[in-house]
């Protein structure tokens, strides 16, 4: 479990490592998760703008507004996913796409991209 503040709200999220069955997380993966939890706070805060932009681009009509006052109405962080290459993603439920959700991806503790969870899996 990893304690993080995401968009001004505290979370304790399960960490999932990109590993084959029976394989253990690499040192790179473990280090990436640790660094992310201690060094990525400002990048996480800054990613909120990108998440809101994504939601409005994908579902503005469903949202019924040109701005989002509470992102947690639509997006809820569920876990942290750590790729073999050290990229880290906040995996989220998405109100308008419960099958694919949203992944907010960071590389070297900087925002990289946002999209369906398939972009990182």
């Amino acid at each position: 479990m990893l304690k993080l503040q995401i968009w001004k709200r505290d979370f304790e999220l399960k960490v999932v490592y990109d590993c084959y069955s029976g394989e253990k997380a690499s040192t790179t993966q473990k280090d990436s998760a640790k660094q992310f939890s201690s060094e990525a706070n400002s990048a996480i805060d800054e990613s909120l703008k990108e998440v809101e932009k994504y939601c409005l681009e994908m579902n503005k009509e469903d949202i019924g507004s040109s701005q989002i006052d509470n992102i947690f109405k639509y997006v809820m962080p569920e876990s942290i996913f750590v790729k073999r290459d050290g990229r880290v993603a906040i995996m989220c439920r998405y109100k308008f796409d419960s099958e694919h959700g949203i992944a907010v991806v960071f590389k070297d503790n900087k925002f990289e991209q946002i999209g369906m969870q398939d972009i990182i899996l």
Side-chain angles (χ1 to χ4, degrees), residues 4 10-12 15 25 30 36-37 43 46 55 63 75 79 81 86 88 97 102 104 106 110 112 114 121:
L4 288 172
D10 291 329
F11 287 91
E12 192 167 341
V15 179
K30 290 177 185 176
F36 184 75
S37 70
E46 291 167 13
C55 293
I63 293 168
V75 178
S79 65
F81 184 74
V88 177
D97 190 351
I102 289 177
V104 184
F106 300 84
K110 293 181 177 78
E112 183 180 61
I114 182 172
L121 294 176

Side-chain angles (χ1 to χ4, degrees), residues 21-69:
S21 179
E23 183 183 28
K24 294 187 191 265
S26 71
T27 302
T28 299
Q29 288 173 302
K30 290 177 185 176
D31 289 348
S32 293
K34 192 181 294 183
Q35 286 178 343
F36 184 75
S37 70
S38 64
E39 299 174 14
N41 293 331
S42 63
I44 292 170
D45 289 344
E46 291 167 13
S47 73
L48 176 59
K49 291 180 190 99
E50 296 296 329
V51 175
E52 289 173 341
K53 183 175 147 187
Y54 178 88
C55 293
L56 290 169
E57 284 175 1
M58 301 302 288
N59 298 95
K60 186 174 183 177
E61 290 180 17
D62 297 315
I63 293 168
S65 176
S66 60
Q67 63 183 24
I68 295 175
D69 60 344

Side-chain angles (χ1 to χ4, degrees), residues 1 6 11-16 75-81 89-94 98 100-102 117:
M1 299 296 268
I6 301 172
F11 287 91
E12 192 167 341
L13 301 174
K14 178 180 170 186
V15 179
V16 178
V75 178
M76 186 58 67
E78 290 190 310
S79 65
I80 301 297
F81 184 74
I90 302 172
M91 306 297 269
C92 305
R93 276 193 327 262
Y94 184 44
S98 57
H100 299 106
I102 289 177
Q117 291 181 359

